[in-house]
Amino acid sequence: MAQSGRPPASIRIDGVTKTFDGQVKAVDDVTLDIEAGEFFSLLGPSGCGKTTTLRLIAGFETADAGRIVVGGQDITDLPVHKRDMGMVFQSYALFPHRTVAENVAFGLRMRGLPKAEIAERVAAALKQVALDGYEARRPSQLSGGQQQRVALARAIVIRPAVLLCDEPLGALDRKLRQSMQFELKQLQKELGVTLVFVTHDQEEALAMSDRIAVMNAGKVEQVGAPSEIYDRPRTRFVADFIGEINLFEGAWSGGRFVTGKDRTLPAVTNGARSGTGIIAVRPEKTRLVGEIDGALGGRIETANFLGGQVLYRVVTDEGRAVLAKEQNVGTSSRKVGDRVGVAWMPSDAVSLEA
Amino acid sequence: MSARRLDAGRVAYYTLNGAILTFLLLPLAIVAVFALNPTPYISFPPVGVTLRWFEKFFANEDFMRSLWLSLRVAAMVLVLSTVLGAMCALALARGRLPGAGILTAFFMSPLMLPAILTGLALFQVLLLSGVGRPVWGLVMGHTLVAVPYVLRTTLAVLANFDTRVEEAASSLGASPVRVFFEVTLPLIRPGVIAGGIFAFIVSFDQFPISLFLVLPKGETLPVVLFNYMKFDLDGAIAAASMVSIVMALSVVLLLERVIGLKAYVKL
Ligand SMILES: Nc1ncnc2c1ncn2[C@@H]1O[C@H](COP(=O)(O)OP(=O)(O)O)[C@@H](O)[C@H]1O
Ligand SMILES: [Mg+2]
């Protein structure tokens, strides 16, 4: 049964700032354009302002400055209960004094729908989250994963144009989390709803999102598709936060990237660049070669077998640790203590803004 | 080894609980014995079983009038103090009032003053303002000392209240008024009802305040019992006590049955 009775809405957050207690800038001049029907993640470390951004969209917080426009309508001053958005809380926030069915029916009851329609839609929503048969239970009688799904059903049953989720999978164990990631993504596509998803888990964000906004200290550092964020991080913070990466500090001179004692590292030559800079290289973009010209010479310090791959930690002659990942093709004879050279394609080195 | 230790712990647990229960319930048992003992003065050990003291209590016009008055006053105090106490608690916990701490202490202060002073003060206020000693004055006086109980139990519930639940309701389309009646009120209800039960009992056996605020022939049961005891110390007093206990217990059970404390206790 198609639940989507309404086209998804775009969200525009325009220069929004929120300060708590006159000092903590939880959200600092954030501008975001979220497309209709998009799975959009807010990703960042704890305390970076993800939840506050989500609560500003939902209307639980009022912005000090800026506008929020949803589906072309400026909702900055609209009270929460008129915004018509589904919200899944980190703590689920189920009504403890109501049964599962009553929890899910709540939003429909507030809309004054006829009893028969409510019953039908509650049943359909519970089916969608695979909780049919649990109607009469109370939240306290459910497992964490089941509570999470009740919270989801309660939010989607009102067929919102926008669904907001604050770390909805954060409290689940790893296995359950992975299957819920898949199900949530599936459900979002089925419903065609615009989903704003908050997480501090980069793997989760990379796996689920159409686009990601990486946040740091109240500001948006970079917005892009998962592959963009991963392969082309713009700032040092983004590069560092997402996955493992090797960072090299140095300077651009004559179009080359030079580090340490006059050592040129492979990077796309750009005559226009000058001054200090940082380049970043993913471990899996590196190759271990012999001690040839242009490669960073060093000694393998540790080798971690990851199954399909092997992760080497190489300490270079300058004393720098470099991570290198190689496919496990079954023929490698490298072992700890071997001397190797680390090399990469110039195009795989990303030049970062400070 | 561990099973033995567990047993020792259990024995200690039950012994302690048994001791506490005995300490709390023994006076009731003694009153029950006196109420059923036929001797015309309170004495021990009992010499038989009789219902004559209950008959005397129920046949006495003063007792009946005052029992009825006490019940009516306590019911009014129950309603007034739950409404006032719950509203105060909500305002103090949620209102972001300046000086909420001081206000809380102020509303709790009747518990800290000797009730006899409160009674005397109320007596003077009522007398000086020339309204005499109407029943509503009595109700007001009782409410004054009953509100802190409701306030305290409701504040305790509000301190552990997850406001996200209210936010969830409003995100689902509930206006602030509906959030209050659909979510807030049902969730603070156990605290309010527990406070209301205290309020009823505080009023039903209130003595020091009533002493100042009742008129002759308009006394509450505790005052009548006190006056009776000055001249007679027979089993009717014990019978009256038994009746009071049963009445208070019935109200508690009734509230529990009708409004249902159990469903929410596990919050
Ligand atoms: N209600 C609040 N009062 C005061 N400070 C707050 C409040 N909510 C959030 N903050 C602060 O704002 C910052 C961002 O918080 P939050 O948005 O919850 O971060 P995140 O969800 O990314 O972990 C933090 O420094 C947090 O302490
Ligand atoms: Mg958060």
Side-chain angles (χ1 to χ4, degrees), chain A residues 55 60 80-81 85 87 89 91 93-98 106-107 109-111 140 154-155 158, chain B residues 162 164-165 167-176 178 181-183 186-187 263-264 266-267:
Chain A
R55 291 172 59 81
F60 299 131
V80 181
H81 67 280
M85 295 181 183
M87 173 104 187
F89 291 80
S91 58
L94 297 176
F95 306 127
H97 58 302
R98 295 180 191 281
F106 189 87
R109 211 153 55 67
M110 292 304 115
R111 282 161 178 71
S140 59
R154 186 178 68 175
I158 60 171
Chain B
D162 178 10
R164 298 281 139 115
V165 179
E167 291 182 348
S170 61
S171 82
L172 289 166
S175 64
R178 294 202 82 172
F181 284 106
E182 296 276 354
V183 178
L187 289 181
Y264 306 110
K266 241 187 8 183
L267 271 177

Side-chain angles (χ1 to χ4, degrees), chain A residues 20-21 24 26 45-52 61:
Chain A
F20 286 111
D21 311 326
V24 189
S46 178
C48 72
K50 308 177 297 287
T51 296
T52 307
E61 309 285 356

Side-chain angles (χ1 to χ4, degrees), chain A residues 231-311:
Chain A
D231 289 332
R232 296 275 142 199
R234 255 207 347 248
T235 63
R236 179 180 192 140
F237 176 84
V238 175
D240 231 359
F241 188 72
I242 312 278
E244 286 158 326
I245 203 154
N246 297 301
L247 296 174
F248 301 94
E249 289 179 21
W252 295 93
S253 100
R256 295 176 311 132
F257 187 78
V258 182
T259 179
K261 288 174 252 138
D262 208 20
R263 182 170 233 317
T264 301
L265 294 179
V268 173
T269 312
N270 183 341
R273 279 204 185 102
S274 68
T276 61
I278 306 170
I279 63 167
V281 185
R282 294 276 176 208
E284 64 271 23
K285 297 287 167 64
T286 62
R287 279 169 301 131
L288 294 186
V289 294
E291 287 192 82
I292 53 165
D293 222 24
L296 278 173
R299 189 181 294 281
I300 297 180
E301 196 189 54
T302 57
N304 288 348
F305 183 68
L306 306 177
Q309 293 159 322
V310 185
L311 181 68

